[in-house]
Amino acid sequence: MNEPETIELVYDCDRPRLGSSLAGCFRPLARDAATDVWLTEHARPHGFWRTKLTEWASTMVSSYDAHGLLGSYPMHLLSERAWGDLLDGVHPGSLLDVGAGAGYVTEHARSHFDEIVCTETAHQLAKRLVARGFAVREIDLTVHSLARTFDVVCAFNVLDRTPAPLRLLRSLADHLRPGGTLLISIPLPISAHVHVRGGTAAPSERLPSLAPDFETAARELTERLLAPAGLTVRRLSRLPYLSRGDLYRPLYVLDSALWVCTTGTPPA
């Protein structure tokens, strides 16, 4: 495996290809020390037995539950510093992290919020969130509601892994207080599928982009997914979604778009 400093990570894009409106919202994040620390600790693939044991467990439960049970594939998306950058230094009161997984990303949000609530439908991942000290609700927000709102709602790499992304997006907005902030990340190009026991299945609702490149896909999702949902994009960023590797690849890197949105139309 390469040394962390030799691993190239992409944070910028060809801004004119986003279109004038979205290009004006693009603000790149930056590689930071916390990312390099994660790479130093985790840019080493799982060995033969961990890989095969995870594959075997995934034939009986979803891969998410298998990863939660075995502690496989630690991930990194946002450092504490990056959270602060996205929040413009503001300290909101409450965060709802939807599909929080094992809490690898949520952990770095602690210092920015007074209250964090997580949802997670995979039981073994929910147990890991509880072990980290987070308040967890094991519910699917496309079916149930928490009957309250939050200052910030986030769904990181969730809309491309749920059967009903359009319904989930409406639910995310419904759980946002007036004037609140919605953070959404989706790996591009889109490869939507749902993890089920023994493999994956196609979602029942389709995300509105098949574009093979970052800029076109980000523009299409902004225009065809977020705007029709009544969301206004305040910021777009690009960042790598990192996962520890295995026998097949030493490090997994997904190219994610991250939108910072609010509800309603922008001021004149």
Side-chain angles (χ1 to χ4, degrees):
M1 184 66 201
N2 294 332
E3 292 300 315
E5 59 270 17
T6 68
I7 298 172
E8 294 187 11
L9 301 177
V10 178
Y11 292 87
D12 211 338
C13 71
D14 187 349
R15 302 185 197 188
R17 295 185 59 232
L18 293 172
S20 59
S21 178
L22 194 57
C25 297
F26 188 85
R27 288 170 51 197
L29 291 165
R31 180 169 177 164
D32 56 24
T35 302
D36 287 334
V37 168
W38 187 93
L39 288 169
T40 299
E41 295 177 351
H42 298 294
R44 295 172 285 108
H46 289 309
F48 176 86
W49 291 112
R50 174 62 67 87
T51 301
K52 292 302 180 181
L53 186 58
T54 303
E55 290 178 347
W56 173 77
S58 297
T59 65
M60 295 180 289
V61 296
S62 79
S63 60
Y64 290 136
D65 273 311
H67 296 172
L69 182 65
L70 298 171
S72 305
Y73 301 103
M75 298 177 178
H76 178 78
L77 183 71
L78 293 172
S79 65
E80 181 178 353
R81 176 180 175 180
W83 272 101
D85 189 344
L86 291 173
L87 298 171
D88 292 325
V90 176
H91 185 93
S94 58
L95 168 69
L96 173 62
D97 190 350
V98 177
Y104 295 116
V105 182
T106 325
E107 187 69 38
H108 296 293
R110 285 188 190 272
S111 65
H112 298 288
F113 297 92
D114 300 320
E115 178 192 17
I116 297 177
V117 176
C118 301
T119 71
E120 178 53 59
T121 59
H123 180 63
Q124 295 299 330
L125 291 177
K127 288 173 64 175
R128 290 192 174 268
L129 287 165
V130 171
R132 289 178 182 268
F134 291 114
V136 183
R137 298 290 302 276
E138 291 186 53
I139 64 171
D140 181 348
L141 290 185
T142 65
V143 179
H144 304 285
S145 171
L146 293 177
R148 59 164 292 190
T149 57
F150 296 81
D151 297 299
V152 177
V153 175
C154 68
F156 295 137
N157 298 9
V158 174
L159 289 177
D160 60 323
R161 296 294 182 265
T162 179
L166 307 183
R167 271 186 286 162
L168 179 57
L169 183 60
R170 290 192 293 269
S171 182
L172 298 178
D174 288 343
H175 284 83
L176 193 65
R177 71 161 178 80
T181 300
L182 177 59
L183 306 176
I184 298 171
S185 74
I186 302 175
L188 303 178
I190 290 174
S191 177
H193 57 273
V194 182
H195 288 266
V196 297
R197 184 175 65 180
T200 60
S204 58
E205 296 177 347
R206 176 179 162 184
L207 289 169
S209 177
L210 295 175
D213 62 284
F214 178 90
E215 292 82 2
T216 304
R219 186 178 70 248
E220 289 181 348
L221 288 168
T222 300
E223 296 171 352
R224 301 178 187 176
L225 177 69
L226 303 181
L231 297 170
T232 297
V233 175
R234 302 295 186 187
R235 173 176 179 168
L236 172 66
S237 294
R238 182 182 193 175
L239 69 166
Y241 188 40
L242 306 172
S243 172
R244 187 170 180 174
D246 50 28
L247 287 178
Y248 311 109
R249 190 176 299 178
L251 177 70
Y252 289 96
V253 183
L254 297 181
D255 188 13
S256 290
L258 191 153
W259 292 265
V260 179
C261 305
T262 56
T263 56
T265 56

